[in-house]
Amino acid sequence: MPSSRSPNSREFIALNLMPITPQAFNMTVYRRAAERGDQKPLPPEVKQYRLPPSIASEDEFVPFDVSLAKRDGFDAFACDSTTNWYLTLWYIANLLNAKSAEALPPDSYLCNSHFGDRIAFVLDQDALGQSTVELQPYYLRSEKLLGFLVGHHFRVAPGVAFDRRVQQRSLSLDQSFGENKDYYADQYGMIERFLKTYQAQLFPITLPDGTRIDVDLRMARLPAERLRTKTYVFAGNTTASSQFMGVKSRGPLRPLNNDSLICFMYRPADKPLSHDLYRALRGDTYGTFKGMNDMFQFSLGTEHVIGVPLDGFDKASLDDGIARMKGQIGSRTTLPLILFPWSRLDPDPAGKQAYYQLKHCFLSHGFPTQLVSLRKLRDRESMKWSIANIALGVFSKLGGVPWMVQPQHQKCLIIGVGQCHRRSSNGAINRYYAYSVLTDSTGIYDSIRTLIDERDEGSYLNGLTESIKQVLNDYRDQYDRFVIHTAFRLRRAEMKAIHAALDQYGDEDNHQHDLVALKFNDRNRFFGFATWNNSKVPYESTYISLSQRERLVWFEGLQYHNPTIRSRIGGPMHVELTYPHTGIDDAVLTDYLQDALNLSGANWRGFNSKSMPVSVYYAKLIADYVGRFDEYGFPDLRFDGLPPWFL
């Protein structure tokens, strides 16, 4: 298959990086040789960096303990900003902190050990919290550019609940508490406001030798490229650019077995509402959805539907309802469709616990569930737009395949690795748990597999390595490539264990399979703007290079066929190649990014739902559920072999 690089003309994205001038300047720091094997923690004002034995030396860099101020036992060392970029970032963070203390009132900025090398400058504050813009030193390797990352952040005041007012102040919601379609333009406006308020007070910064460090008020412009937009595949290998219209006009890729069964479950008082839901799924109620039969080729006659009343939502009532359901269904594949008084997002703690208890109870019997809140069911306007997604959830959890995405690589297994550890009251981890979500590059869900569940960290890490190798061995005859997708939550030790698995498997396999690992972070410090349009939103599938291994990718953005913004567009995804250690060619990395972008369209949780690779998103959903089950003290579950119950 040809490279996925776009033939479009070159565009530029304004990265949220304000370059500094000059880029090269002299520094004097204080250092001592680091003692090998010394495990004593360094004081906060001392850090360790690799530096040359002397400034003129061409020998290999060696570790030194470094202080920015004079210190007993430390010698002065003259270097420049290019000697070690990590040291330079620490140096200019310290300069900015000192200038802030000199030029600003103490309540106008925030800087402490919790912030690391970031400084937050206050724009507004009230009882809800503080609206701030943060500066953080950063070296952009792709452009060899030193500067400050800049971005807005709303800091919630202690004791304030995360509600829609906070979301509004965080720019997620607009002034009417609807989705903020101007999210990018508002972020851009916050940066402009920061510059008007603080730039003249903070810059330039004068160095000891008289050099004046200033910032370029224009954000760094980076050349952008585009991946191909997603193509969806339906019945008969037909294709379309829309999930909903493709299923509607072409039919699902893989229909349900004819003996599949939907079991409506409800309290007796809610039975009339179950009839309303049934009619809506049959297509009798809303013009937005023509029914399960027309959409998914699955009729809702009596041969596919039964009903079981529930006495309540306590565990005893749920177990009784499951027993009565089992008495009717025999060996048929069945999805309980449950009318539920609360929702997962309900602020009522009792309702939230009841939700997770219900999910856990049915899963312990091997049944995924589809819950519909009574509040939503009674709201006709909400149901009008939700009924198609409810039907999609029912279809997918029963084992149907609504669509797949057209892959970049054939015969490529994507292994999404997630973890959900248990912590004691003092914060220490007392249970280490990791699992994998397996899909191929078409996005078709394969399975969940528990990788390791241990109480000891050493046993956990060793077991993680062996379990990853076992997955690769189990699928070695089916696939030519294995790509591991991890979320940013995985710790360094866990990443080393995964890389060890790939190293060992590659050696044992004589490198017959391509092995790649990518790390995804949707909560990153980067942002970017398309300054050529009023919305400031880049096109979906745009990406820029931050370094040889790092890309910033817009998994959602402007649509090529309709550039009108209809909902809030989230920020870009930071993607890092973590394996192989030697790196790969840019064109090869781009092709793996194309597969990742495609997988963001394989989300069966809803039509046009969250734009994140399902390998990562499904792992996050599972972690959320497992964490809640653990929080409420429910017994441990094994999810191996179950359909996608987390949708």
Side-chain angles (χ1 to χ4, degrees):
M1 183 172 290
S3 171
S4 54
R5 295 188 183 193
S6 169
N8 295 328
S9 59
R10 180 61 58 91
E11 294 175 357
F12 291 86
I13 296 295
L15 183 67
N16 61 325
L17 177 72
M18 298 189 307
I20 67 171
T21 55
Q23 288 281 299
F25 50 87
N26 296 320
M27 307 185 304
T28 297
V29 298
Y30 302 86
R31 69 180 191 175
R32 70 180 179 193
E35 296 183 15
R36 294 184 181 276
D38 185 4
Q39 299 300 316
K40 295 179 183 178
L42 295 171
E45 61 273 18
V46 176
K47 296 182 183 293
Q48 192 171 103
Y49 296 101
R50 300 183 70 85
L51 295 170
S54 66
I55 192 60
S57 172
E58 297 182 0
D59 295 338
E60 182 179 352
F61 283 28
V62 295
F64 284 89
D65 297 336
V66 181
S67 170
L68 299 180
K70 291 182 179 180
R71 191 178 183 89
D72 288 345
F74 286 63
D75 299 320
F77 177 67
C79 58
D80 62 42
S81 55
T82 65
T83 302
N84 183 311
W85 289 113
Y86 296 105
L87 170 58
T88 302
L89 296 179
W90 183 38
Y91 185 84
I92 63 175
N94 185 74
L95 290 175
L96 182 62
N97 190 15
K99 185 61 180 284
S100 300
E102 171 192 322
L104 301 176
D107 60 353
S108 65
Y109 71 99
L110 305 165
C111 181
N112 54 48
S113 59
H114 176 72
F115 290 90
D117 57 357
R118 293 172 293 152
I119 301 180
F121 298 91
V122 179
L123 298 180
D124 295 301
Q125 58 183 337
D126 56 22
L128 289 177
Q130 297 173 314
S131 184
T132 69
V133 165
E134 296 179 351
L135 292 190
Q136 181 179 27
Y138 180 69
Y139 179 64
L140 179 63
R141 284 173 172 76
S142 63
E143 303 293 316
K144 296 182 172 58
L145 199 58
L146 182 65
F148 289 100
L149 290 175
V150 55
H152 172 263
H153 181 69
F154 182 70
R155 300 189 174 279
V156 184
V160 173
F162 185 79
D163 58 16
R164 64 178 191 161
R165 298 175 304 159
V166 171
Q167 290 179 285
Q168 186 184 65
R169 294 291 298 280
S170 302
L171 307 182
S172 295
L173 300 180
D174 61 20
Q175 293 304 307
S176 302
F177 298 106
E179 282 193 68
N180 186 10
K181 301 174 186 177
D182 297 323
Y183 180 64
Y184 274 68
D186 288 348
Q187 290 279 357
Y188 194 86
M190 286 292 185
I191 295 173
E192 290 185 320
R193 185 177 166 195
F194 159 77
L195 292 173
K196 290 178 182 177
T197 305
Y198 286 102
Q199 184 265 336
Q201 300 176 70
L202 294 173
F203 299 99
I205 299 173
T206 303
L207 302 187
D209 65 358
T211 302
R212 291 161 62 88
I213 301 293
D214 211 339
V215 293
D216 190 336
L217 303 187
R218 299 167 300 177
M219 285 180 274
R221 295 174 72 248
L222 271 65
E225 299 192 52
R226 294 185 199 164
L227 302 165
R228 287 194 306 272
T229 55
K230 299 179 284 285
T231 299
Y232 304 100
V233 183
F234 305 94
N237 286 324
T238 55
T239 61
S241 59
S242 164
Q243 302 156 330
F244 183 85
M245 296 306 297
V247 173
K248 182 179 178 181
S249 62
R250 295 161 173 79
L253 182 68
R254 188 186 303 159
L256 294 175
N257 293 329
N258 198 44
D259 68 344
S260 299
L261 195 62
I262 300 173
C263 179
F264 284 77
M265 305 187 81
Y266 45 82
R267 295 176 304 189
D270 299 326
K271 187 173 183 178
L273 288 172
S274 75
H275 293 159
D276 291 344
L277 178 58
Y278 169 74
R279 286 190 288 268
L281 287 171
R282 200 171 59 184
D284 301 341
T285 309
Y286 303 105
T288 54
F289 181 67
K290 298 303 182 182
M292 288 286 292
N293 191 49
D294 283 358
M295 195 79 170
F296 296 109
Q297 301 170 4
F298 185 73
S299 69
L300 290 189
T302 55
E303 74 279 11
H304 290 145
V305 176
I306 62 171
V308 172
L310 291 170
D311 294 332
F313 294 97
D314 58 281
K315 189 174 186 309
S317 298
L318 295 174
D319 284 336
D320 177 67
I322 292 170
R324 286 186 283 118
M325 179 183 71
K326 285 182 174 181
Q328 295 188 49
I329 66 175
S331 61
R332 297 176 68 179
T333 300
T334 303
L335 179 75
L337 180 57
I338 304 168
L339 277 64
F340 192 64
W342 305 281
S343 77
R344 178 174 55 89
L345 303 177
D346 203 307
D348 176 12
K352 187 173 291 187
Q353 181 167 348
Y355 172 90
Y356 287 103
Q357 179 172 270
L358 185 151
K359 285 285 186 180
H360 183 277
C361 188
F362 277 83
L363 282 171
S364 66
H365 289 272
F367 292 102
T369 51
Q370 180 72 35
L371 274 61
V372 180
S373 75
L374 296 179
R375 184 183 306 166
K376 177 172 287 187
L377 192 51
R378 293 187 178 106
D379 184 342
R380 288 184 60 86
E381 185 65 21
S382 177
M383 277 297 291
K384 178 173 73 173
W385 302 110
S386 300
I387 188 63
N389 286 336
I390 293 170
L392 175 63
V394 169
F395 177 80
S396 301
K397 290 174 185 176
L398 274 170
V401 178
W403 64 80
M404 69 179 188
V405 291
Q406 201 168 73
Q408 178 68 17
H409 291 114
Q410 301 291 339
K411 301 184 71 174
C412 176
L413 182 68
I414 311 291
I415 306 165
V417 178
Q419 54 91 338
C420 187
H421 302 328
R422 177 190 296 156
R423 295 182 181 271
S424 60
S425 56
N426 65 2
I429 299 175
N430 55 24
R431 179 203 182 191
Y432 298 86
Y433 176 70
Y435 50 87
S436 61
V437 179
L438 305 182
T439 70
D440 66 14
S441 52
T442 68
I444 294 179
Y445 171 80
D446 181 284
S447 62
I448 303 170
R449 181 181 290 206
T450 299
L451 294 173
I452 189 69
D453 187 355
E454 281 284 354
R455 268 58 181 172
D456 174 73
E457 183 177 19
S459 300
Y460 163 73
L461 294 173
N462 290 333
L464 180 59
T465 297
E466 293 304 316
S467 296
I468 293 289
K469 287 170 59 181
Q470 187 61 54
V471 173
L472 303 182
N473 275 309
D474 289 347
Y475 287 86
R476 65 187 304 165
D477 294 332
Q478 297 174 239
Y479 295 97
D480 297 330
R481 292 179 174 86
F482 295 115
V483 182
I484 293 181
H485 286 182
T486 68
F488 71 98
R489 287 182 59 183
L490 262 69
R491 300 169 302 145
R492 182 175 299 178
E494 291 167 317
M495 295 302 300
K496 287 181 66 176
I498 291 171
H499 295 165
L502 296 175
D503 281 337
Q504 294 172 25
Y505 178 81
D507 290 341
E508 296 166 5
D509 183 56
N510 292 320
H511 303 283
Q512 296 182 55
H513 292 76
D514 291 341
L515 304 174
V516 170
L518 298 172
K519 193 171 188 178
F520 296 81
N521 185 357
D522 64 326
R523 297 182 180 180
N524 60 77
R525 53 189 173 160
F526 303 102
F527 214 84
F529 304 94
T531 54
W532 43 265
N533 71 61
N534 291 333
S535 73
K536 302 292 189 291
V537 179
Y539 278 105
E540 176 189 303
S541 79
T542 298
Y543 71 94
I544 57 178
S545 174
L546 302 178
S547 72
Q548 184 180 6
R549 291 177 170 271
E550 298 171 283
R551 301 291 184 268
L552 202 61
V553 185
W554 275 262
F555 281 75
E556 55 183 323
L558 290 183
Q559 300 298 302
Y560 299 102
H561 60 281
N562 184 5
T564 302
I565 302 292
R566 300 190 180 278
S567 61
R568 175 183 174 271
I569 304 296
M573 181 86 71
H574 178 261
V575 186
E576 180 183 3
L577 174 74
T578 66
Y579 190 93
H581 308 299
T582 54
I584 55 180
D585 291 342
D586 285 353
V588 177
L589 176 55
T590 300
D591 287 343
Y592 284 114
L593 290 178
Q594 182 70 58
D595 275 329
L597 179 78
N598 293 341
L599 285 184
S600 69
N603 190 347
W604 301 338
R605 204 165 191 238
F607 293 103
N608 300 316
S609 55
K610 188 168 181 64
S611 190
M612 180 186 290
V614 292
S615 49
V616 179
Y617 185 50
Y618 288 176
K620 179 181 181 298
L621 292 175
I622 295 167
D624 291 343
Y625 276 108
V626 172
R628 290 292 185 177
F629 295 162
D630 209 38
E631 176 186 337
Y632 294 125
F634 301 152
D636 293 342
L637 290 175
R638 299 282 292 195
F639 305 118
D640 305 54
L642 289 177
W645 55 269
F646 44 81
L647 294 176

